Amino acid sequence: MPVITWLFDAQLVIGDQTVLWREIVGNVFGLLSALGGMRRKIWAWPVGIVGNVLLFTVFLGAVFDTPNPVNLLGQAARQVMFIVVSVYGWYRWKHSADAGGAAVEPRWAGGRSRLLLVIGLVAGTAILTPVFSALGSFEPVWADAWIFTGSLLATYGMAKGWVEFWLIWVAVDIVGVPLLISAGYYASALMYVVYGAFTLAGFFVWARARRRASELTALYIV
């Protein structure tokens, strides 16, 4: 198909740097998915999946013989993870909407779940770092493992409706920006900067929605 062929091969040359258009398009789809997630729209999930498919091919640069022959295995693997968890989130939100409620009602994870999220982030990074290192991922490998683990937890938290998932994305972005710049994925690094600001905004939007819901519940009880 001409469109797919063009998207796979098209490049944007800026000075001595070459950026794949599918890296740009994939990140735009990711940003649109984040926007839909902030607004609690079901379409956020399938839109995100499209971006994940595109970015999977980007981060396996050496495998797909791209102008940037660098493999970020954590980044590539997390696209697969995104697709799997997104199918779960898509089903969960749609099922809730079909039942007559909102797609998702933001709620705080609670102390125990927060502790498990922190432990999961640290433990997942420690476990995956030697795995990604053995597979030849780009250095520093721990950063790639951190991004993968945080992305998994954040996507799961979004599916559950936990407000805190936005803060996990912030932690992912802080590590992701310098890693992507050093690996030569400039479009993705720029989008991570945008994501960082966006995820902070999303946190406050969901926190405000949770507060309003609590206030309405209190009024109803009274």
Side-chain angles (χ1 to χ4, degrees):
M1 296 176 66
V3 175
I4 295 179
T5 301
W6 172 86
L7 184 59
F8 199 86
D9 296 332
Q11 301 173 11
L12 176 64
V13 179
I14 304 175
D16 60 347
Q17 301 296 332
T18 300
V19 180
L20 294 171
W21 270 105
R22 53 194 156 99
E23 182 180 357
I24 298 173
V25 174
N27 277 295
V28 168
F29 271 88
L31 184 58
L32 290 174
S33 177
L35 175 62
M38 185 171 68
R39 299 177 62 193
R40 289 176 281 161
K41 300 295 184 181
I42 297 175
W43 55 256
W45 296 105
V47 166
I49 289 174
V50 174
N52 300 146
V53 173
L54 289 172
L55 290 175
F56 173 78
T57 68
V58 171
F59 290 121
L60 290 181
V63 174
F64 287 90
D65 193 27
T66 68
N68 186 25
V70 173
N71 286 336
L72 285 179
L73 299 181
Q75 291 282 351
R78 82 178 189 136
Q79 306 308 319
V80 178
M81 174 274 296
F82 277 150
I83 293 173
V84 174
V85 181
S86 291
V87 170
Y88 164 73
W90 190 356
Y91 168 79
R92 185 181 177 92
W93 284 25
K94 189 176 185 304
H95 179 73
S96 179
D98 290 344
V104 64
E105 291 292 346
R107 59 191 178 91
W108 296 106
R112 180 175 180 274
S113 294
R114 290 172 187 167
L115 178 60
L116 289 175
L117 287 172
V118 172
I119 293 174
L121 181 56
V122 175
T125 300
I127 293 171
L128 290 176
T129 295
V131 175
F132 288 167
S133 181
L135 292 173
S137 190
F138 189 77
E139 295 285 351
V141 181
W142 73 265
D144 208 14
W146 172 277
I147 292 170
F148 177 87
T149 305
S151 299
L152 171 61
L153 295 174
T155 307
Y156 177 73
M158 176 178 170
K160 296 284 287 185
W162 292 339
V163 178
E164 291 88 346
F165 90 88
W166 293 104
L167 297 181
I168 301 177
W169 278 129
V170 174
V172 167
D173 294 337
I174 290 173
V175 174
V177 171
L179 175 66
L180 290 168
I181 291 176
S182 64
Y185 290 104
Y186 302 108
S188 294
L190 176 60
M191 290 304 298
Y192 266 46
V193 174
V194 176
Y195 287 151
F198 191 85
T199 51
L200 279 176
F203 170 76
F204 289 113
V205 168
W206 274 44
R208 184 166 60 249
R210 173 67 268 176
R211 184 174 65 253
R212 288 176 178 173
S214 298
E215 291 172 350
L216 287 175
T217 300
L219 288 174
Y220 179 78
I221 294 175
V222 173

